[in-house]
Amino acid sequence: MKPTTPPKTYRVKSFGCQMNVYDGERMAELLAEQGIAPAPEGEDADLVVLNTCHIREKAAEKVYSDIGRLTKGKTQQKAPMIAVAGCVAQAEGEEIMVRAPAVSMVVGPQAYHRLPEMLDKAVRGERSTDTDMPPIAKFDALPARRKIGPTAFLTIQEGCDKFCTYCVVPYTRGAEISRPFKDLVTEARKLVEAGAREITLLGQNVSAWSGEDDRGRACGLAGLIRMLAGIDGLERIRYTTSHPADMDDDLIAAHGEVSKLMPYLHLPVQSGSDRVLKAMNRSHSAESYLRLLERFRAARPDLALSGDFIVGFPGETDAEFEETLRIVDQVGYAQAYSFKYSPRPGTPAATMDGQVPREVMDERLQRLQAALNRHQVAFNQASVGKSCAVLVERKGKLDGQWLGKSPWLQSVWFTGTAAIGDLVDVELIEAGANSLEGRLSRVGDAQQTA
Ligand code: SAH
Ligand code: SF4
Ligand code: F3S
């Protein structure tokens, strides 16, 4: 590669989960600290960071089409310097270097604090790859948080030891590690000082977080939530994604006791069939999952539930798929994500017998999504008539229109006088599949829930 002038502007494109988005924000802060400015919307960037996701084949292949478009002048007029970050970088490292000569830097999700050094090399014309996985070092090396909107992500835990047989995350993100309690309290305070009123705690297995509190006592996610709830100015706490194996009594109790903890739980089940769950190496059965949800609902009766599903796992029969439809009806999810099984290189399921044909997967996904959609509409309709607080996140398209989230993570729009970051009280008056209309009751510090 030829030496080049240092980039003046950057753009970070994140393709993956919320943790990937958090990493994207932190990389942006790191580049800003190097004196590089975010490229204005619609204008060319000198440096483009593709912050990739490896979870399904489609997501992983996207990086190569994006590189092609960037170098062929389809995305911007002048080809930028390109860095590939995120989980594809971790999984394919050197392969990207070979397949895409236009890429200057390949940096894994645990190594992106080293971007500045890699950038210096790139300016000198040297390409570099860093996919080391040093535990935690990244967070200590990152700059302080900057001004952000009313909602913020905070990664508290990374990695996964669960090894579900379909999943790449244990390979791309490494073993489960928890960030120290005091670092998290400090980062949460900084986020609130910077304008956050809601913080979503993130982890591939967020409920596996463990640490020691400020008095040196062993502490789990519930303890951390209780501590964060004491921060003035922080109004809402959420967390995602949980694994059924890590949900403890204290966390269940916290849902009933901590008013700042929002009544929403994303708890993926993946399948309703015990045989499939076993083949997936999930540690729960359909029955144990349902019993766990009952305990959460006893603690917090208005809890909105969300989940993830995979259809067409190798060997899944029609009857087993029907069991997934059954659990969907039993739970009545407020919202959910569903995917066709995608074989991932290096995972045990990729070489299992009984790979399900594409047409069968398509049909199952359609049926599952129709069922999930039915429940989502029903949940939204059942909210009509309730009063709740909405955290205003942005302006709507029309004059005087605002958009925000209900405690149950529904998108709510309303018209009236408000500002971004306000917690306003609204009455929910009309429900659609994906959003609700609210009528403003009063501006100011409203009650959190109905
Ligand atoms: N740690 C979380 C999920 C992380 S990945 C958990 O255990 O629930 C997000 C979702 O992607 C998973 O819940 C699963 O539904 C889906 N997923 C993961 N690997 C997949 C694959 N190979 N094919 C299709 N969907 C997959
Ligand atoms: Fe993947 Fe399973 Fe770990 Fe979730 S718990 S990240 S699905 S291996
Ligand atoms: Fe994708 Fe990596 Fe997240 S594979 S889903 S970006 S952990």
Side-chain angles (χ1 to χ4, degrees), residues 17 54-57 160 162 164-169 203-206 241-244 266-270 282 307-311 337-344 347:
C17 59
H54 200 244
I55 202 86
R56 283 167 290 275
E57 193 180 354
C160 179
K162 307 282 190 292
C164 301
T165 52
Y166 50 80
C167 185
V168 290
V169 171
Q204 268 89 25
N205 283 287
V206 73
T241 294
S242 312
H243 189 289
H266 181 72
L267 192 64
V269 66
Q270 313 297 357
R282 299 286 293 184
D308 292 347
F309 296 87
I310 295 176
V311 300
Y337 302 92
S338 48
F339 312 98
K340 281 185 271 189
Y341 168 70
S342 171
R344 307 306 295 126
T347 60

Side-chain angles (χ1 to χ4, degrees), residues 6 37 49 53 70 92 101 114 121 162 164 169 185 188 199 214-215 225 253 255 287 314 355 360 363 374 382 444:
V49 181
C53 173
L70 282 168
E92 296 183 3
R114 305 216 185 99
K121 283 193 189 160
K162 307 282 190 292
C164 301
V169 171
V185 175
I199 292 182
D214 45 354
R215 286 192 240 159
I225 288 171
H255 273 275
E287 188 54 39
Q355 299 287 327
V360 176
E363 201 241 347
R374 200 163 23 82

Side-chain angles (χ1 to χ4, degrees), residues 149-162:
T151 62
F153 289 144
L154 171 52
T155 292
I156 66 165
Q157 180 278 339
E158 286 209 73
C160 179
D161 299 338
K162 307 282 190 292

Side-chain angles (χ1 to χ4, degrees), residues 272-352:
S273 150
D274 287 347
R275 197 213 48 92
V276 173
L277 288 170
K278 199 148 186 268
M280 287 177 162
N281 193 31
R282 299 286 293 184
S283 52
H284 55 88
S285 64
E287 188 54 39
S288 70
Y289 176 83
L290 289 169
R291 274 205 310 273
L292 181 59
L293 290 187
E294 264 167 35
R295 289 165 61 211
F296 271 98
R297 277 180 163 156
R300 183 74 205 223
D302 70 337
L303 192 72
L305 291 163
S306 165
D308 292 347
F309 296 87
I310 295 176
V311 300
F313 183 81
E316 185 188 67
T317 63
D318 284 338
E320 286 164 348
F321 170 66
E322 296 291 334
E323 291 182 274
T324 298
L325 292 178
R326 195 168 325 132
I327 206 166
V328 166
D329 287 340
Q330 282 168 312
V331 174
Y333 290 94
Q335 194 269 345
Y337 302 92
S338 48
F339 312 98
K340 281 185 271 189
Y341 168 70
S342 171
R344 307 306 295 126
T347 60
T351 51
M352 281 180 188

